[in-house]
Amino acid sequence: IKALPWQVQLSSMKSAVVVNVNNDDLPDILLMGNYYENNIEMGRYDADFGSILVNKGKGEFSYENINGLTIKGPVRNIGKINLSGREAFILAKNNDSVQLIQFTESIKKNN
Protein backbone atom coordinates (compact mmCIF):
# COMPACT_ATOMS: atom_id res chain seq x y z
CA ILE A 1 0.00 0.00 0.00
CA LYS A 2 1.31 3.42 -0.99
CA ALA A 3 -0.16 6.87 -0.51
CA LEU A 4 -1.39 8.63 -3.61
CA PRO A 5 0.36 11.87 -4.59
CA TRP A 6 -0.88 14.71 -2.38
CA GLN A 7 -2.49 16.51 -5.34
CA VAL A 8 -5.10 13.75 -5.76
CA GLN A 9 -5.87 13.77 -2.03
CA LEU A 10 -7.24 17.33 -2.09
CA SER A 11 -10.78 16.20 -2.94
CA SER A 12 -12.82 13.03 -3.13
CA MET A 13 -12.27 11.02 -6.30
CA LYS A 14 -15.42 9.43 -7.70
CA SER A 15 -14.32 7.83 -10.97
CA ALA A 16 -11.19 6.57 -12.68
CA VAL A 17 -10.33 5.07 -16.04
CA VAL A 18 -7.17 3.47 -17.39
CA VAL A 19 -5.49 5.57 -20.10
CA ASN A 20 -2.14 5.71 -21.87
CA VAL A 21 -1.09 9.36 -21.81
CA ASN A 22 2.60 8.96 -22.65
CA ASN A 23 2.54 6.17 -25.23
CA ASP A 24 4.50 3.68 -23.15
CA ASP A 25 3.42 0.16 -22.17
CA LEU A 26 2.39 1.13 -18.63
CA PRO A 27 -1.27 1.88 -17.76
CA ASP A 28 -1.87 5.42 -16.47
CA ILE A 29 -5.00 6.57 -14.60
CA LEU A 30 -7.35 9.48 -15.33
CA LEU A 31 -9.15 10.53 -12.13
CA MET A 32 -12.12 12.86 -11.58
CA GLY A 33 -14.15 13.73 -8.54
CA ASN A 34 -15.46 16.44 -6.22
CA TYR A 35 -18.47 16.27 -3.93
CA TYR A 36 -20.87 19.19 -3.46
CA GLU A 37 -23.60 17.59 -1.34
CA ASN A 38 -21.86 17.94 2.03
CA ASN A 39 -23.54 19.50 5.02
CA ILE A 40 -23.15 23.25 5.47
CA GLU A 41 -20.48 22.95 8.18
CA MET A 42 -18.14 20.88 5.97
CA GLY A 43 -18.55 22.82 2.74
CA ARG A 44 -17.97 21.45 -0.73
CA TYR A 45 -15.09 19.18 -1.69
CA ASP A 46 -14.20 20.94 -4.93
CA ALA A 47 -10.41 21.02 -5.21
CA ASP A 48 -10.09 18.58 -8.13
CA PHE A 49 -10.03 19.89 -11.71
CA GLY A 50 -9.00 16.58 -13.27
CA SER A 51 -5.92 14.53 -12.51
CA ILE A 52 -3.69 12.02 -14.24
CA LEU A 53 -1.51 9.50 -12.47
CA VAL A 54 1.38 8.61 -14.78
CA ASN A 55 2.70 5.11 -14.20
CA LYS A 56 6.48 5.19 -13.63
CA GLY A 57 6.70 1.42 -13.15
CA LYS A 58 7.31 -0.72 -10.07
CA GLY A 59 4.16 0.61 -8.38
CA GLU A 60 5.18 4.28 -8.63
CA PHE A 61 2.86 6.98 -10.01
CA SER A 62 3.41 10.69 -10.49
CA TYR A 63 0.73 13.38 -10.66
CA GLU A 64 0.14 15.41 -13.83
CA ASN A 65 -2.54 17.98 -14.49
CA ILE A 66 -4.52 17.87 -17.71
CA ASN A 67 -2.45 20.43 -19.66
CA GLY A 68 -4.40 23.52 -18.66
CA LEU A 69 -7.84 21.91 -18.89
CA THR A 70 -10.03 22.71 -15.89
CA ILE A 71 -12.91 20.32 -15.19
CA LYS A 72 -15.36 22.01 -12.81
CA GLY A 73 -18.19 20.32 -10.98
CA PRO A 74 -18.82 16.96 -9.32
CA VAL A 75 -17.85 14.30 -11.87
CA ARG A 76 -19.50 10.98 -11.03
CA ASN A 77 -18.44 8.77 -13.91
CA ILE A 78 -15.93 8.66 -16.78
CA GLY A 79 -16.73 6.72 -19.93
CA LYS A 80 -14.14 5.89 -22.56
CA ILE A 81 -15.35 6.13 -26.17
CA ASN A 82 -13.90 6.07 -29.68
CA LEU A 83 -14.42 9.36 -31.52
CA SER A 84 -13.30 9.36 -35.17
CA GLY A 85 -10.69 6.70 -34.42
CA ARG A 86 -9.31 8.50 -31.37
CA GLU A 87 -9.85 7.89 -27.68
CA ALA A 88 -12.16 10.37 -25.95
CA PHE A 89 -13.86 10.52 -22.56
CA ILE A 90 -17.41 11.41 -21.55
CA LEU A 91 -17.64 12.95 -18.07
CA ALA A 92 -21.00 12.50 -16.33
CA LYS A 93 -21.55 15.22 -13.75
CA ASN A 94 -24.06 15.31 -10.91
CA ASN A 95 -26.96 17.70 -11.68
CA ASP A 96 -25.13 19.07 -14.72
CA SER A 97 -24.55 18.39 -18.40
CA VAL A 98 -22.07 15.81 -19.65
CA GLN A 99 -18.68 16.96 -20.89
CA LEU A 100 -16.48 15.45 -23.59
CA ILE A 101 -12.68 15.64 -23.44
CA GLN A 102 -9.99 14.35 -25.76
CA PHE A 103 -6.22 14.52 -25.37
CA THR A 104 -4.47 16.24 -28.26
CA GLU A 105 -0.93 15.17 -27.41
CA SER A 106 0.67 12.84 -24.95
CA ILE A 107 2.51 13.73 -21.77
CA LYS A 108 6.23 13.39 -22.30
CA LYS A 109 8.09 10.63 -20.48
CA ASN A 110 10.26 11.84 -17.60
CA ASN A 111 13.14 9.39 -17.49
Side-chain angles (χ1 to χ4, degrees):
I1 297 174
K2 294 183 182 183
L4 293 171
W6 67 267
Q7 295 95 331
V8 295
Q9 296 186 45
L10 296 175
S11 187
S12 61
M13 296 298 169
K14 296 294 184 179
S15 190
V17 66
V18 174
V19 297
N20 188 359
V21 296
N22 54 1
N23 296 321
D24 62 7
D25 292 328
L26 301 173
D28 307 308
I29 304 169
L30 172 64
L31 294 163
M32 300 278 174
N34 293 329
Y35 186 71
Y36 286 9
E37 291 76 35
N38 260 347
N39 61 42
I40 197 164
E41 291 86 15
M42 296 295 291
R44 298 189 320 185
Y45 298 144
D46 61 357
D48 177 59
F49 298 119
S51 304
I52 299 172
L53 292 179
V54 177
N55 192 337
K56 299 297 186 181
K58 300 184 182 184
E60 297 295 325
F61 287 86
S62 67
Y63 165 83
E64 298 285 341
N65 63 14
I66 305 178
N67 293 335
L69 182 62
T70 301
I71 307 297
K72 293 186 178 181
V75 176
R76 291 292 171 263
N77 200 2
I78 305 169
K80 190 185 303 190
I81 64 168
N82 185 318
L83 185 63
S84 299
R86 293 188 51 222
E87 192 173 69
F89 303 93
I90 296 177
L91 311 178
K93 297 180 179 181
N94 193 44
N95 296 323
D96 201 346
S97 58
V98 297
Q99 187 171 357
L100 178 73
I101 63 171
Q102 190 172 40
F103 297 115
T104 57
E105 56 184 67
S106 67
I107 294 173
K108 304 288 188 254
K109 287 189 212 180
N110 294 329
N111 292 330

